[in-house]
């Protein structure tokens, strides 16, 4: 960006001496989550790393594992409940059948005992002497026949009585075993039902928790450092989107994302200078300020142009934000890079798109010479342009997507 001649060689170095102001307004604003789906699709698969990301990833993995366990328990308990219910139905049906068997055997036993009792009474009341030589042959035959018949009937009743008793005993054993099994099954069913109900409640709670953890992970991912580079994924997304926007806004420019990365590396270490960090929506968590442009330190005097709105100084201007815009320059080149209808030099998306428009205004940004010319328009210092170009060319080696 164009700066007074006295600033050209010193401002990049002197920013290291500038105080870093806490942005109270930014701190009070809730951090807007940027889901992974809102990233440039080509960036979705890039690996990232960082302490916070690892912590949040571990929490997400734990929540995911807990939900998986709850779902597994819910499924297994539901299956077991079906099995237990089927067994309970089978035992209930079998109990009914055995109860009927016992009832029939009990009736049969009673009938056999009654028959024996009747035979005993009849034999006692109508007892007949054994036939002897003095008894007529026909009478003797009839007496023996009656005795044989009575004995046969008695033996049949005894057999029936024993059979009925055995049947009752078997039925009682089966009924007892089935009652024990059904009681045990129903106790188990109550336990499994409680487990199932708890698993269902846990699933609902853990699903909500996993959604929250997913949001946390997406925020942590977008602010984590791209593996192999020194910038956060949110910064890369801002550079990529700004370069992509210029394809439409200024088709002849052809500025690549890494040219913008080179400038931001030189100006603010990708929005991390002085302990600042980029939030998921692209804002810096504290304002990055250059030194006051008050004529000291070989700077030109630039009196306040923004009422202190951007730099907090109502007397002199300061370069502001990750791309170090002077407030008056920002008013001309301000752009909304993240679609939130706000233009802020303290937002990496807005600053990157504003810087892209500023650089492209000087001409194409495709060859090394064209880029050097653009960087010189940003800061009239040969050493600055060389430094930025070297950073940019190094970032150009990074392959975002398979070629």
């Amino acid at each position: 960006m164009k700066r007074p001649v006295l600033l050209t060689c010193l401002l990049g170095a002197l920013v290291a001496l500038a105080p870093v102001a806490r942005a109270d307004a930014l701190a009070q604003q809730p951090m807007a989550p940027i889901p992974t789906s809102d990233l440039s699709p080509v960036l979705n698969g890039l690996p990232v790393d960082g302490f916070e990301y690892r912590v949040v990833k571990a929490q997400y993995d734990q929540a995911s594992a807990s939900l998986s366990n709850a779902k597994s328990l819910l499924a297994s308990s539901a299956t077991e409940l079906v099995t237990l219910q089927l067994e309970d139905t089978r035992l209930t049906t079998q109990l009914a059948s055995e109860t009927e068997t016992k009832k029939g055997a009990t009736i049969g036993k009673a009938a056999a005992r009654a028959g024996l009792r009747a035979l005993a009474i009849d034999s006692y009341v109508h007892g007949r002497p054994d036939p002897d030589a003095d008894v007529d042959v026909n009478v003797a035959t009839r007496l023996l026949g009656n005795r044989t018949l009575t004995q046969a009937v008695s033996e049949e009743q005894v057999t029936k009585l024993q059979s009925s008793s055995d049947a009752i005993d078997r039925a009682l054993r089966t009924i007892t075993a089935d009652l024990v099994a059904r009681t045990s099954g129903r106790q188990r069913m109550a336990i499994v039902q409680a487990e199932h109900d708890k698993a269902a409640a846990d699933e609902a709670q853990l699903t909500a928790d996993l959604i929250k953890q997913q949001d946390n992970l997406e925020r942590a991912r977008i602010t984590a450092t791209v593996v192999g580079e020194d910038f956060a994924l949110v910064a890369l997304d801002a550079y990529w989107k700004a370069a992509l926007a210029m394809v439409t806004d200024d088709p002849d420019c052809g500025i690549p994302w890494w040219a913008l990365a080179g400038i931001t590396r030189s100006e603010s270490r990708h929005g991390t200078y002085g302990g600042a960090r980029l939030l998921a929506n692209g804002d810096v968590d504290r304002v990055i300020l250059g030194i006051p442009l008050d004529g000291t330190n070989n700077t030109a005097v630039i009196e306040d142009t923004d009422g202190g709105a951007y730099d907090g100084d109502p007397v002199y201007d300061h370069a502001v934000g990750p791309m170090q815009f002077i407030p008056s320059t920002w008013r001309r080149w301000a752009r909304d890079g993240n679609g939130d209808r706000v233009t802020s030099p303290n937002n990496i998306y807005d600053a990157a798109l504003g810087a892209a428009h500023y650089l492209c205004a000087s001409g194409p940004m495709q060859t090394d010479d064209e880029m050097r010319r653009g960087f010189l328009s940003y800061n009239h210092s040969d050493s600055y342009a060389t430094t930025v170009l070297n950073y940019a060319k190094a970032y150009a080696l990074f392959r975002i997507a398979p070629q």
Side-chain angles (χ1 to χ4, degrees), residues 78-147:
T79 299
E80 187 174 359
L81 281 172
V82 171
T83 301
L84 289 169
Q85 186 58 60
L86 289 173
E87 179 63 8
D88 186 84
T89 300
R90 186 190 71 79
L91 289 172
T92 299
T93 301
Q94 185 166 293
L95 279 167
S97 175
E98 290 299 324
T99 299
E100 285 298 318
T101 299
K102 175 178 171 291
K103 180 179 178 181
T106 301
I107 293 172
K109 180 178 180 180
R113 294 181 66 178
L116 286 172
R117 187 181 299 111
L119 285 174
I121 293 172
D122 183 72
S123 177
Y124 177 78
V125 174
H126 302 97
R128 297 287 188 273
D130 291 333
D132 52 35
D134 295 331
V135 179
D136 182 81
V137 174
N138 292 331
V139 173
T141 301
R142 186 175 70 254
L143 290 173
L144 290 174
N146 288 342
R147 179 179 295 177

Side-chain angles (χ1 to χ4, degrees), residues 21-71:
R22 173 69 62 181
D24 293 334
L26 287 176
Q28 293 171 2
Q29 293 297 320
M31 181 169 59
I34 297 182
T36 303
S37 59
D38 285 348
L39 282 173
S40 299
V42 71
L43 306 183
N44 281 341
L46 287 182
V48 299
D49 196 14
F51 176 74
E52 180 183 355
Y53 177 76
R54 292 182 185 181
V55 170
V56 176
K57 181 66 163 59
Q59 293 171 342
Y60 173 83
D61 290 343
Q62 179 60 49
S64 180
S66 297
L67 178 58
S68 178
N69 290 338
K71 287 180 177 292

Side-chain angles (χ1 to χ4, degrees), residues 124-251:
Y124 177 78
V125 174
H126 302 97
R128 297 287 188 273
D130 291 333
D132 52 35
D134 295 331
V135 179
D136 182 81
V137 174
N138 292 331
V139 173
T141 301
R142 186 175 70 254
L143 290 173
L144 290 174
N146 288 342
R147 179 179 295 177
T148 301
L149 178 61
T150 298
Q151 185 177 356
V153 171
S154 178
E155 290 176 354
E156 180 182 0
Q157 293 301 315
V158 169
T159 300
K160 287 182 178 180
L161 179 61
Q162 186 60 51
S163 177
S164 297
S165 296
D166 292 343
I168 291 172
D169 289 342
R170 287 194 300 273
L172 284 173
R173 286 194 298 272
T174 302
I175 289 171
T176 300
D178 287 349
L179 283 172
V180 170
R182 189 173 70 170
T183 299
S184 177
R186 288 181 175 179
Q187 290 174 343
R188 177 59 185 167
M189 197 182 303
I191 293 172
V192 175
Q193 185 65 58
E195 292 175 349
H196 182 272
D197 293 343
K198 184 177 185 304
D202 287 347
E203 181 190 32
Q205 177 60 46
L206 290 169
T207 297
D209 184 52
L210 188 63
I211 292 173
K212 183 187 299 183
Q213 293 295 338
Q214 177 69 40
D215 290 340
N216 292 340
L217 183 61
E218 288 171 350
R219 280 195 294 268
R221 180 175 185 271
I222 199 171
T223 57
T225 302
V226 175
V227 172
E229 291 298 339
D230 61 349
F231 44 67
L233 185 59
V234 63
L236 177 57
D237 191 48
Y239 308 147
W240 183 270
K241 286 179 176 175
L244 188 62
M246 295 309 295
V247 173
T248 301
D249 294 352
D250 190 346

Side-chain angles (χ1 to χ4, degrees), residues 240-265:
W240 183 270
K241 286 179 176 175
L244 188 62
M246 295 309 295
V247 173
T248 301
D249 294 352
D250 190 346
D252 295 330
C253 178
I255 187 171
W257 68 268
W258 39 269
L260 297 168
I263 288 182
T264 316
R265 170 62 179 81

